[in-house]
Amino acid sequence: MMINKAVITAAGLGTRMRNMTLIMPKALLPLIRRNDSAALVPIIDLIIMKLQEVGVSKFMIVVGRNGRPLIDYLMDKVFTDLIRAQISFTFQERPPRLWRRRA
């Protein structure tokens, strides 16, 4: 049985990358893609490309309080046919409580 659906968690506070995530959602931060030629590509593109390579065609993206730029970015790619996939979004109102370490 082939899996054709995936949930991508793109919500959260981005506290470990605070300086960068104040400007844009962490899923839009660029990484270097190395194949024929090196290029800076948003993290979300790399995740979607890799999942599509294994047959995933339907995506549910979980977004948080700053998810609007990510939604706009992905919907633009879907409408311009740069991503051939079904993408839907769900909103996480607040991140789950973080584990507290007991001393």
Side-chain angles (χ1 to χ4, degrees), residues 20 33 36 70 86 93-94:
M20 293 180 282
R33 181 182 75 188
D36 296 337
L70 177 61
Q86 180 182 337
E93 290 185 30
R94 63 180 186 155

Side-chain angles (χ1 to χ4, degrees), residues 26-54:
K26 62 184 169 273
L28 291 178
L29 293 175
L31 287 178
I32 296 176
R33 181 182 75 188
R34 298 174 192 233
N35 50 4
D36 296 337
S37 61
L40 287 175
V41 178
I43 293 169
I44 193 70
D45 286 357
L46 297 173
I47 293 169
I48 290 173
M49 284 188 302
K50 288 297 180 185
L51 287 169
Q52 285 181 318
E53 286 176 13
V54 296

